[in-house]
Amino acid sequence: MAAGLRAVKRWGLVAAAPRLAFTRSASVVKKANNGQPSWLGVGMAFGTSAAVWAFLIKEHNEDVMEYEKRKQERRHKCTGCS
Amino acid sequence: MAFLPDESRSLPPPPLLNKGSVWLGFAGWLAALLDNAFNQRPVLRAGVHRQVLFATLGCFVGYQLVKRAEYVHAKVDREMFEYVRHHPVDFHSA
């Protein structure tokens, strides 16, 4: 019976207090404190968003202008100089 | 091949808010909301800067992807019409 109990404990079916249960891990986790926002992070997020929107709107306007320009060029080439 | 070759600029650019950019922007926003949920923060009211950033990046990526998709479709259409033009015998409408 003792041998059977030993085997069961090895299988983890009988809870035994873990002695010297070291786990080696390189990661360290801090509990996140959401009560005090990191204003640097907030500023960077909003700043990046503003920059990306500005770039996107600029790129769109440039695309429209380039398309119109090429359309004019194509029409000019086809009909010739009138 | 380049993501957006120069000839793609001869195509009419898609509107700024199109299917792709709106959908991916929404997906980005949803990702921020999910992040709130998984970290046990109030879902809509927390991390507005994060919601805005993710939605913005989603819109940006969506816009670029839609431009590329339209270019690929236009290229394939052009090749198809060229083929039809060069093989009229195969495309007689009975």
Side-chain angles (χ1 to χ4, degrees):
Chain A
M1 197 194 77
L5 200 60
R6 261 202 300 273
V8 166
K9 198 148 62 168
R10 193 179 309 133
W11 294 333
L13 293 172
V14 175
R19 288 161 288 221
L20 302 178
F22 283 131
T23 53
R24 277 170 284 200
S25 165
S27 66
V28 179
V29 181
K30 275 192 316 228
K31 188 162 166 61
N33 183 5
N34 289 311
Q36 282 158 341
S38 66
W39 292 108
L40 178 66
V42 172
M44 288 202 297
F46 277 131
T48 312
S49 305
V52 170
W53 274 117
F55 175 77
L56 193 56
I57 293 174
K58 184 168 91 77
E59 183 187 8
H60 178 69
N61 290 339
E62 279 174 0
D63 286 342
V64 172
M65 282 204 314
E66 180 68 23
Y67 167 67
E68 296 293 337
K69 187 165 84 91
R70 292 192 185 194
K71 203 161 70 163
Q72 291 305 319
E73 279 172 13
R74 204 178 325 144
R75 192 163 301 147
H76 208 167
K77 199 171 63 172
C78 286
T79 62
C81 292
S82 51
Chain B
M1 196 177 97
F3 186 73
L4 282 172
D6 182 69
E7 63 173 351
S8 73
R9 308 194 70 191
S10 308
L11 289 172
L16 198 54
L17 294 178
N18 54 59
K19 292 196 298 280
S21 71
V22 166
W23 183 253
L24 284 189
F26 174 72
W29 183 53
L30 205 60
L33 296 186
L34 274 178
D35 185 46
N36 281 349
F38 290 145
N39 287 311
Q40 297 181 331
R41 295 190 290 254
V43 176
L44 283 172
R45 289 173 294 146
V48 174
H49 64 293
R50 196 177 295 114
Q51 296 176 28
V52 167
L53 180 65
F54 284 17
T56 304
L57 291 178
C59 278
F60 178 74
V61 170
Y63 182 73
Q64 306 299 329
L65 286 178
V66 164
K67 276 213 299 194
R68 171 145 177 97
E70 293 210 340
Y71 167 71
V72 168
H73 294 161
K75 185 161 171 294
V76 167
D77 283 346
R78 182 179 63 185
E79 287 163 7
M80 183 186 76
F81 286 126
E82 276 296 302
Y83 183 87
V84 170
R85 214 159 56 83
H86 285 295
H87 301 80
V89 181
D90 297 329
F91 294 96
H92 275 320
S93 35

